[in-house]
Amino acid sequence: MGMAEFDDEGTCLKSCQFNLHLTGDIHAITAANNLLAAAIDARILHENTQSDKALYNRLVPSINGVRKFSPVQIARLMGIKKTDPGLLTPDEISRFVRLDIDPSTITWQRVVDTNDRFLRRITVGEASTERGCSRQTQFDIAVASEIMAILALTNNLHDMKERFGRMVVASDKKGQPVTAEDLGITGALTVLMKDAIKPTLMQTLELKMSSVNTAFPILEMVTTIGAHSPMENCNVRSAFSKMSVCL
């Protein structure tokens, strides 16, 4: 996003005041992207340091004496035709709890909304508590995140959640893709992005409304505001609500 506004013909004009944060869309992208990055490293750590039984107790805890698979976990059973957590064999439990991510294949990087060249190559996991799970990685610019691309292409929250689930973040030690859905994190990503999917309502120099989403303007003005009427006195909330539904 740059410091600019758009007139009726879509001409980019210099702006005196422009909130670069808008409604926090880039912050939401950064938070969601880095949550997934943290989940990848945490999963590798837990699988390297815990037994199958301990992992199973964490993933499918007994609540009031009852274990129950979540819908995401049922999809992770991968051919195991059992829905009762108590009926899985030790081999089936191992297949269920271990993603066996190969650290050298991780393609999902952390992001920051600053062009900081000294973050282009870093080492994570150096603390003694990470038990030797260090690896080289990097930071990308926030808008280069795949989450940004999905935000620009998605139709609605359900579509966005499905797209998040299909994001490939690494491969396992057998060469099979590991997705965000395998990590069971798509619901959390969707919650973080639920407001960013709504377009940002802005005002042109001609006192007309335009919608900006994922930092790109929608040049078709949805309505015209009277030349002598300030934007805040119009039914802006109604227009914004209609745009949110349409987009």
Side-chain angles (χ1 to χ4, degrees):
M1 287 176 289
M3 296 184 64
E5 293 177 356
F6 293 81
D7 66 7
D8 289 343
E9 285 72 37
T11 304
C12 183
L13 303 174
K14 183 178 179 181
S15 172
C16 296
Q17 295 183 352
F18 193 94
N19 182 0
L20 290 176
H21 298 286
L22 292 178
T23 55
D25 293 357
I26 302 300
H27 168 72
I29 292 166
T30 302
N33 184 100
N34 293 344
L35 174 64
L36 179 50
I40 294 168
D41 286 322
R43 186 59 177 261
I44 293 173
L45 171 68
H46 290 311
E47 289 189 16
N48 286 346
T49 58
Q50 297 185 40
S51 66
D52 292 346
K53 182 179 179 180
L55 287 170
Y56 196 58
N57 288 336
R58 280 176 174 267
L59 291 172
V60 194
S62 177
I63 301 176
N64 296 325
V66 178
R67 289 182 188 267
K68 185 178 180 181
F69 288 130
S70 69
V72 171
Q73 291 174 334
I74 290 176
R76 270 280 307 153
L77 289 173
M78 298 180 300
I80 301 173
K81 300 182 182 298
K82 299 175 182 177
T83 56
D84 184 347
L87 298 179
L88 269 64
T89 66
D91 179 64
E92 290 171 338
I93 289 175
S94 181
R95 287 164 51 195
F96 172 75
V97 301
R98 295 195 178 275
L99 296 179
D100 281 329
I101 296 173
D102 182 352
S104 66
T105 67
I106 296 174
T107 56
W108 195 266
Q109 315 294 353
R110 289 167 172 81
V111 299
V112 63
D113 195 30
T114 305
N115 187 13
D116 188 343
R117 65 183 301 116
F118 282 87
L119 293 179
R120 292 175 182 175
R121 181 62 61 183
I122 62 171
T123 302
V124 296
E126 290 289 342
S128 59
T129 53
E130 310 316 319
R131 304 184 186 182
C133 293
S134 62
R135 66 182 182 89
Q136 280 199 337
T137 182
Q138 67 188 55
F139 272 83
D140 293 331
I141 196 73
V143 292
S145 171
E146 187 173 348
I147 290 178
M148 176 69 168
I150 289 175
L151 177 61
L153 295 171
T154 192
N155 296 318
N156 50 55
L157 278 175
H158 179 72
D159 178 57
M160 184 167 65
K161 184 177 180 180
E162 287 192 342
R163 289 174 184 264
F164 285 162
R166 295 196 297 268
M167 294 187 302
V168 176
V169 300
S171 298
D172 64 20
K173 294 175 182 177
K174 295 180 181 178
Q176 297 301 309
V178 177
T179 66
E181 185 74 5
D182 291 327
L183 289 159
I185 200 172
T186 53
L189 298 180
T190 305
V191 169
L192 286 171
M193 296 296 296
K194 69 181 179 64
D195 292 321
I197 195 175
K198 300 174 183 177
T200 301
L201 189 63
M202 302 189 72
Q203 183 181 13
T204 69
L205 296 181
E206 297 296 326
L207 300 179
K208 295 182 179 181
M209 288 192 292
S210 78
S211 171
V212 178
N213 201 15
T214 61
F216 295 102
I218 299 173
L219 299 179
E220 180 182 356
M221 305 307 166
V222 294
T223 188
T224 301
I225 299 178
H228 302 289
S229 301
M231 187 174 181
E232 55 268 25
N233 292 336
C234 299
N235 193 2
V236 173
R237 291 185 179 178
S238 176
F240 183 77
S241 176
K242 292 177 181 178
M243 285 194 295
S244 298
V245 172
C246 293
L247 295 178

